[in-house]
Amino acid sequence: MVNVAGRSRGCANCRRRKVKCDETFPQCEKCTSRGLQCPGPRTGAFFVHVQSGEASSQETLTSTPADTRTNSPVPGSIQTRNAFVHMPHMSDMRSCRATAFDQLFVSHFVESFGQLNGVRFPVSVNANWLAWLPQYITSPGNALTKTSIRSASMLSYGTWTRDKSIQTEAYKWYARALMGLQGALSQPTLTATESNVCSAVMLIHFETWAGTVEGAWINHINGASTLLEAAGPQTCREGFMHRIFCHLRFQSFIATMYESKLPGFASPEWTSIPFEIHPANIFDQIVTILFDVQSSSAIANNFIHANDHANRIQLESALRTSVRNTRQKLINWEQQLMPPPSAEDAGDNSADTSSTSSSASSPAQPPPRNDAPPSFPFSSMPEAALLSLYHSAYIIVYRLLALTGDGGAGDADRLLMHTQEILRAYKFVRKVTDKGPTSNLGPVMMVPQLKIASLWGSEESDRVMATGFLKRIGQRQSFALGSIWDLPDGYFANVACHVLALDARR
């Protein structure tokens, strides 16, 4: 029975057609299934939640008064800090409220990533896949993409505002997106379209927040990775596919470390071909190094379990080569991006550098041991997370160097420094993270690094501290990554235990 006219909360289309509207927010299912532009159900007053100047987004508004002759801000003018969300134009609100809501949710979702604001290193914008989301959510067609973007962005906004009704609607859109993606992938020929890949990635982010089923986020990461691998690295050289690939490869690293496996993206063709047009930025470079760390860890796992003597010798040689190459990449990354050491530090390391430079061309010699920079003061949460990934890679490299007998006299001090830098980065991130329902978003960025420190770190006290930080994150939020703290295996834990046992016997 149709509700009494004037009292129905249904959308205008359903009221005009005199059918019962399911009142799904922001667009009803009856309209979307018929391909109609649904204006959305009646919501009454809707309060848009914005965040003041203490928000993580610190950019200034473009509406700041400017001198028309120089196009520069007028001296003494007030530069208002950017709100956490951008409201759409009023004309959009009058034409379709659903469009305005979608823009609200998507803009919040995009800005919640921080966009590497505050990172002092040069970062290319080529990997910014988020810039495409507003276009996908407003373009005609692409129903699967719209549904997936809507589910993740609504859940993000609903969680931040503690709005249970929006969260509930987000789960409904997630169910539809899941069914739509399953239908698209059930075709005889696997098609890695932009729509399918974008939908799979958005479902990753939904599950990162929601955690509906244990390990669901890993399944979505594996699914999105399979789509790109089926398309091949040539399709990820430019455009949206390149941007989404740069984002997904780090997700793939986290998921495969969770399962102590190697990702397909770690192969030489996947670490080179996608960057032929747009060179890898500093984040892309550190992810490639992390893939190399995974490869070395996998070789080490085979080495410690090998029974045949000849096989052990072959694996030990492969491990030594892999670890040294990875270490040299870390040194190159550091020399390009980290601040140069002071004259005093350079004097302390001069003898070490000169002794190794003459033999650098010999593959039998370890690379120079000049990788102990002073503590780097963090300027932002993304920068702290980025640098802690660098320290995480070094921790495993030093442990594996000891496994092959290539450890040096100063490695224990360097290992201690890298471990404590991760702990320092976490404390910084926790301190600067915004208060509110998403206050654990920052610490979650530190979960993989803390897990590595808890397993591979130098001193037992530091490993215990890292484990405590992980437990704190897991107990205070419901994100999928929060379960890593009590993960019994993963992150090549068996290799870490073997190395720690060898270290204890020395």
Side-chain angles (χ1 to χ4, degrees):
M1 180 177 179
V2 179
N3 290 334
V4 178
R7 296 182 181 179
S8 172
R9 293 183 63 251
C11 72
N13 290 343
C14 290
R15 294 201 310 272
R16 184 172 57 252
R17 295 172 53 228
K18 296 184 179 180
V19 298
K20 183 173 178 58
C21 181
D22 55 57
E23 300 178 6
T24 303
F25 180 77
Q27 291 179 308
C28 76
E29 186 174 2
K30 282 187 169 60
C31 288
T32 54
S33 62
R34 293 169 60 91
L36 301 176
Q37 185 177 14
C38 180
R42 294 177 175 178
T43 59
F46 185 89
F47 295 93
V48 177
H49 303 266
V50 296
Q51 191 159 318
S52 63
E54 296 180 354
S56 60
S57 178
Q58 301 295 326
E59 299 176 358
T60 56
L61 290 173
T62 57
S63 60
T64 301
D67 189 330
T68 56
R69 295 170 297 178
T70 62
N71 198 29
S72 59
V74 175
S77 61
I78 299 176
Q79 296 190 9
T80 309
R81 291 187 181 274
N82 193 8
F84 200 72
V85 294
H86 295 297
M87 285 301 296
H89 297 296
M90 292 302 296
S91 59
D92 295 331
M93 292 184 181
R94 288 193 295 266
S95 62
C96 181
R97 290 189 301 167
T99 302
F101 283 126
D102 280 332
Q103 291 176 345
L104 170 66
F105 300 143
V106 170
S107 63
H108 172 273
F109 180 82
V110 170
E111 291 198 16
S112 67
F113 279 77
Q115 297 296 294
L116 293 181
N117 289 336
V119 177
R120 289 169 286 181
F121 305 140
V123 180
S124 170
V125 299
N126 292 328
N128 183 11
W129 65 283
L130 295 165
W132 293 65
L133 297 186
Q135 173 185 342
Y136 281 134
I137 197 67
T138 57
S139 61
N142 291 329
L144 175 58
T145 307
K146 289 183 178 181
T147 304
S148 302
I149 295 175
R150 184 174 287 165
S151 65
S153 61
M154 286 183 69
L155 185 63
S156 171
Y157 185 84
T159 302
W160 183 73
T161 60
R162 294 190 176 97
D163 193 317
K164 294 296 183 182
S165 62
I166 294 180
Q167 295 179 44
T168 300
E169 295 297 326
Y171 277 87
K172 296 178 181 178
W173 287 109
Y174 172 74
R176 298 176 191 174
L178 193 60
M179 293 180 59
L181 185 60
Q182 290 174 344
L185 299 182
S186 63
Q187 302 299 322
T189 303
L190 188 62
T191 305
T193 63
E194 291 185 4
S195 175
N196 291 345
V197 175
C198 180
S199 299
V201 170
M202 293 306 295
L203 296 189
I204 294 172
H205 288 284
F206 183 95
E207 284 293 350
T208 302
W209 282 82
T212 58
V213 179
E214 184 177 358
W217 63 281
I218 295 181
N219 294 334
H220 287 316
I221 291 175
N222 293 337
S225 301
T226 301
L227 284 172
L228 284 184
E229 290 172 16
Q234 290 287 346
T235 62
C236 298
R237 297 169 70 239
E238 57 183 337
F240 176 78
M241 295 294 272
H242 171 74
R243 300 185 181 197
I244 202 72
F245 162 73
C246 293
H247 172 70
L248 184 60
R249 65 200 302 259
F250 181 63
Q251 303 259 2
S252 179
F253 164 76
I254 296 177
T256 50
M257 283 294 284
Y258 194 92
E259 300 176 317
S260 295
K261 299 193 308 184
L262 274 178
F265 295 151
S267 64
E269 57 269 19
W270 276 104
T271 55
S272 58
I273 295 177
F275 301 104
E276 290 177 343
I277 298 178
H278 303 291
N281 61 33
I282 58 169
F283 182 72
D284 300 326
Q285 294 172 22
I286 201 65
V287 173
T288 298
I289 293 174
L290 291 172
F291 285 157
D292 292 337
V293 169
Q294 280 183 288
S295 179
S296 299
S297 302
I299 297 174
N301 183 58
N302 294 332
F303 169 68
I304 64 178
H305 290 98
N307 297 321
D308 182 75
H309 180 68
N311 190 27
R312 283 183 62 86
I313 293 177
Q314 184 178 6
L315 288 171
E316 184 179 13
S317 177
L319 177 60
R320 180 175 289 109
T321 301
S322 177
V323 175
R324 289 177 178 176
N325 290 340
T326 303
R327 189 167 181 269
Q328 187 59 55
K329 288 184 179 180
L330 280 166
I331 292 174
N332 295 339
W333 191 90
E334 168 196 321
Q335 291 174 344
Q336 293 176 24
L337 304 165
M338 301 287 280
S342 63
E344 182 179 343
D345 294 328
D348 294 340
N349 295 330
S350 59
D352 213 14
T353 305
S354 61
S355 64
T356 54
S357 59
S358 61
S359 59
S361 59
S362 173
Q365 297 295 328
R369 298 188 178 280
N370 58 350
D371 54 346
S375 295
F376 188 61
F378 306 122
S379 65
S380 65
M381 179 177 64
E383 186 175 273
L386 176 67
L387 290 175
S388 60
L389 289 173
Y390 153 84
H391 293 296
S392 301
Y394 252 129
I395 288 176
I396 298 181
V397 163
Y398 275 123
R399 288 299 194 185
L400 296 182
L401 281 172
L403 182 61
T404 60
D406 288 339
D411 286 358
D413 293 335
R414 296 184 180 95
L415 180 62
L416 176 63
M417 182 275 295
H418 289 295
T419 304
Q420 292 182 344
E421 282 298 290
I422 293 177
L423 301 178
R424 187 173 71 90
Y426 168 76
K427 294 175 182 177
F428 172 84
V429 168
R430 190 178 65 182
K431 180 179 179 180
V432 302
T433 300
D434 297 332
K435 304 298 181 182
T438 60
S439 60
N440 279 297
L441 274 178
V444 164
M445 296 172 63
M446 295 294 303
V447 166
Q449 300 92 310
L450 288 173
K451 186 63 177 180
I452 290 175
S454 70
L455 293 173
W456 297 80
S458 57
E459 304 291 340
E460 182 180 1
S461 59
D462 291 334
R463 297 194 297 271
V464 170
M465 184 179 297
T467 302
F469 290 158
L470 283 171
K471 187 174 182 180
R472 173 190 177 96
I473 296 173
Q475 291 178 339
R476 294 197 173 195
Q477 50 85 27
S478 60
F479 299 96
L481 290 177
S483 62
I484 291 182
W485 74 271
D486 62 347
L487 184 68
D489 48 13
Y491 284 75
F492 297 93
N494 60 324
V495 180
C497 291
H498 181 84
V499 174
L500 291 178
L502 289 178
D503 185 62
R505 291 199 292 266
R506 291 192 178 106

